[in-house]
Amino acid sequence: MQEQYRTVAREGVHETEVNRSRFICALAPAATEQEAQDFVARIRKEHPTATHNCFAYVVGADASVQKAGDDGEPGGTAGVPMLQMLMRRDIRYAVAVVTRYYGGVKLGAGGLIRAYGGAVGEALDALGTVTRQRFRLATVAVDHQRAGRLENDLRATGRAVREVRYGEAVTIEIGLPEADVETFGAWLADVSAGTARLELGGEAYGDV
């Protein structure tokens, strides 16, 4: 698994003009390929009179799914440069749709490649990106007496507390960088006088 990846901070739209043609780039996070396809369909519906609605998306922390479409532009002049821009910026789990309203001036293949790739790059700059780090999920079980203080200690030392559940014991779900697991076990035994139990779970990604 990738240690970390970057994705789009939020859904949004950024518009540029090249030789009187309008290029409107809509960007959004997409957790699955279906989400990406739904977003493309939605933007196409919003711009039914546009000359072209070209798209590119990357799904998977390791970029296992990569798709691009030119929507009538000459092959390789729209979707591919959009996809290349996402890949060059290490963007994952994201979808981009560039809507073009033709302004009467032909751009040529080189001009189109620059315009479509550039529209995505500018939109990424405008909307911002976030980095997600790979975490090991872990659960700490501790008695009620020590729980409040332990939760405060976890937050004070910058641990990612994901959930706290109260039952016979208090269970606190946290995210740990893989390299930190051993050190954390020793720290936990120390602060809880050996009473807290640590169970390691699967892996997930969280904001850095």
Side-chain angles (χ1 to χ4, degrees), residues 2-207:
Q2 295 276 109
E3 277 306 311
Q4 58 180 40
Y5 68 86
R6 293 165 74 196
T7 192
V8 186
R10 59 191 170 86
E11 185 181 317
V13 176
H14 180 76
E15 183 174 335
T16 54
E17 193 177 299
V18 182
N19 284 358
R20 299 213 297 272
S21 275
R22 290 170 66 206
F23 289 87
I24 305 161
C25 180
L27 276 177
T32 62
E33 185 169 13
Q34 188 60 56
E35 263 185 43
Q37 290 170 348
D38 290 347
F39 182 75
V40 174
R42 193 181 98 205
I43 299 299
R44 283 189 168 151
K45 215 173 272 183
E46 285 175 18
H47 294 278
T49 61
T51 323
H52 308 279
N53 283 292
C54 307
F55 73 87
Y57 57 80
V58 182
V59 178
D62 54 356
S64 53
V65 178
Q66 300 177 32
K67 293 274 169 69
D70 295 315
D71 192 33
E73 291 282 30
T77 62
V80 169
M82 289 168 63
L83 182 62
Q84 285 171 340
M85 182 59 74
L86 292 174
M87 293 299 292
R88 197 180 308 146
R89 297 284 192 93
D90 292 324
I91 301 295
R92 306 288 184 265
Y93 291 108
V95 53
V97 181
V98 175
T99 299
R100 181 188 183 192
Y101 286 93
Y102 183 57
V105 179
K106 290 197 170 176
L107 300 180
L112 288 172
I113 288 167
R114 282 191 297 277
Y116 279 100
V120 173
E122 284 185 31
L124 288 169
D125 291 340
L127 296 170
T129 60
V130 289
T131 301
R132 293 186 177 278
Q133 176 76 37
R134 182 161 66 102
F135 285 105
R136 187 71 178 272
L137 294 174
T139 306
V140 175
V142 67
D143 59 49
H144 285 262
Q145 200 183 334
R146 286 188 167 86
R149 177 157 175 226
L150 179 60
E151 189 185 337
N152 288 340
D153 286 348
L154 286 166
R155 292 185 192 279
T157 52
R159 315 282 178 191
V161 176
R162 299 166 71 91
E163 196 182 345
V164 182
R165 290 187 297 275
Y166 296 89
E168 277 181 35
V170 178
T171 53
I172 304 171
E173 192 181 281
I174 57 169
L176 290 172
E178 192 67 48
D180 201 14
V181 171
E182 219 170 289
T183 324
F184 178 77
W187 175 85
L188 185 64
D190 190 35
V191 297
S192 70
T195 60
R197 285 194 328 275
L198 175 66
E199 275 182 37
L200 295 175
E203 293 180 320
Y205 286 91
D207 294 347

